[in-house]
């Protein structure tokens, strides 16, 4: 699955100009949803100008997806990386009517992230609630990396997927020695106040080491009164490859991500 894209420069972002790859699905409606997509990479990957299958899948669902370079200027360290992502979201919210091929003032605004990008997306959703309430229409958390203590039962599979050591290194880089884990924006899983957040779509899979922490966060959001759609895909879709892990199965999750996001948008619009 692929979608047309073009590389652009987002000017006047609060934290400075940001390079981005904008994906446009076929048959876009005039007020197509706008999605800020935050790539994964275990808080280590800072590349941006590469193919992003998750972003393409969201675009195929009928969205304008902005895969922004939110990491290379800050080395994936909290709080700078979160401030960068939040600044880009605020920029898109103000400029949505200027985006090509369908953007409009009434376009829905989403933040989406996979793996480490899912953690940052959850933190951005918290900050959006606190600093620009009502501006964010939804958050999409795809296999979000939420637990710096890496203690869930499903995480035992991390060794098999070859990700345990990489995630350990990544958390150390992201949090550093500043006690960032104590800040709710840095580790949303441990945030004590989740009410008032934008609706959430949480996606994971049976063979995902991050399954339990993602599902637990979704349950906590529900308990706080947040509208949540959760989906656990079956094993065998090659899901670990979504964040660079090893899998014996050929990736086939793209269509599932596309369909789940399309249904989520319909829920938000209802």
């Amino acid at each position: 699955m692929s979608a047309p894209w073009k590389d652009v420069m987002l000017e006047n972002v609060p934290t400075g100009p940001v390079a981005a790859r904008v994906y446009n699905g076929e048959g876009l409606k005039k007020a197509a949803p706008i999605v800020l997509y935050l790539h994964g990479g275990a808080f280590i990957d800072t590349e941006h100008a590469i193919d992003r299958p998750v972003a393409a899948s969201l675009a195929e669902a009928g969205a304008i997806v902005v895969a922004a370079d939110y990491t290379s200027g800050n080395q994936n360290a909290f709080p700078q990386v979160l401030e960068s992502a939040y600044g880009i979201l605020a920029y898109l919210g103000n400029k949505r009517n200027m985006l090509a091929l369908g953007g409009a003032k009434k376009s829905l605004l989403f933040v989406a992230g996979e793996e480490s990008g899912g953690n940052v997306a959850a933190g951005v959703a918290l900050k959006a609630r606190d600093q620009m309430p009502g501006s964010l229409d939804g958050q999409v958390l795809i296999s979000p990396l939420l637990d710096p203590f890496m203690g869930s039962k499903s995480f035992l599979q991390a060794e098999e997927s070859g990700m345990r050591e990489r995630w350990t290194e990544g958390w150390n880089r992201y949090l550093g020695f500043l006690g960032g884990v104590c800040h709710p924006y840095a580790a949303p899983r441990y945030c004590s106040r989740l009410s008032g957040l934008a609706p959430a779509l949480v996606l994971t899979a049976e063979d995902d080491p991050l399954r339990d922490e993602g599902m637990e966060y979704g349950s906590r959001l529900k308990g706080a009164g947040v509208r949540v759609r959760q989906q656990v895909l079956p094993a065998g879709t090659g899901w670990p490859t979504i964040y660079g892990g090893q899998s014996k199965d050929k990736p086939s999750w793209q269509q599932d991500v596309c369909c789940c996001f399309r249904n989520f948008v319909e829920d938000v619009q209802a």
Side-chain angles (χ1 to χ4, degrees):
M1 177 178 291
S2 62
W5 54 263
K6 63 179 179 179
D7 289 330
V8 302
M9 184 65 68
L10 306 178
E11 304 288 350
N12 301 318
V13 174
T15 52
V18 175
R21 178 162 290 183
V22 180
Y23 293 79
N24 295 286
E26 295 183 3
L28 285 177
K29 297 180 180 179
K30 184 175 181 180
I34 296 171
V35 182
L36 169 60
Y37 162 79
L38 308 177
H39 65 76
F43 300 117
I44 296 172
D45 177 17
T46 59
E47 290 187 82
H48 72 279
I50 61 175
D51 188 37
R52 298 292 183 184
V54 173
S57 298
L58 298 175
E60 286 294 331
I64 300 168
V65 181
V66 181
D69 177 18
Y70 73 106
T71 60
S72 64
N74 47 58
Q75 300 303 309
N76 266 311
F78 180 84
Q80 291 88 348
V81 68
L82 185 130
E83 293 298 329
S84 174
Y86 177 78
I88 299 167
L89 181 73
Y91 170 88
L92 294 178
N94 291 329
K95 301 291 185 180
R96 68 184 80 185
N97 62 317
M98 298 178 63
L99 287 175
L101 297 177
K105 289 183 179 179
K106 62 180 180 180
S107 293
L108 297 177
L109 181 64
F110 295 87
V111 62
E114 68 188 67
E115 195 231 22
S116 57
N119 181 286
V120 178
V124 165
L126 284 165
K127 185 164 183 174
R129 175 202 61 189
D130 296 339
Q131 298 198 9
M132 50 180 196
S135 61
L136 184 64
D137 295 294
Q139 53 181 313
V140 182
L141 311 179
I142 301 173
S143 195
L145 181 63
L146 296 168
D147 184 7
F149 299 107
M150 300 178 290
S152 70
K153 290 183 179 180
S154 67
F155 198 83
L156 295 174
Q157 298 173 327
E159 202 72 58
E160 181 180 338
S161 67
M163 294 298 294
R164 177 183 291 274
E165 184 175 335
R166 182 169 168 81
W167 281 330
T168 299
E169 178 186 352
W171 274 119
N172 288 337
R173 173 180 291 194
Y174 184 60
L175 299 177
F177 301 99
L178 302 177
V181 67
C182 298
H183 198 291
Y185 295 169
R189 181 174 183 258
Y190 296 102
C191 180
S192 60
R193 188 173 68 89
L194 298 175
S195 60
L197 284 168
L201 170 64
V202 183
L203 296 179
T204 179
E206 288 290 350
D207 52 354
D208 179 12
L210 305 177
R211 181 192 67 235
D212 290 351
E213 57 197 83
M215 294 303 290
E216 186 261 354
Y217 188 64
S219 296
R220 290 193 60 228
L221 289 174
K222 285 183 180 179
V226 178
R227 285 193 291 161
V228 179
R229 175 184 280 263
Q230 291 177 284
Q231 183 74 41
V232 180
L233 302 183
T237 64
W239 187 264
T241 61
I242 206 167
Y243 43 69
Q246 301 167 4
S247 175
K248 65 181 183 298
D249 301 300
K250 183 178 179 180
S252 61
W253 46 259
Q254 290 93 334
Q255 190 60 47
D256 291 314
V257 170
C258 177
C259 291
C260 288
F261 178 65
R262 184 180 290 117
N263 292 335
F264 177 59
V265 171
E266 292 176 355
D267 286 349
V268 172
Q269 291 174 325

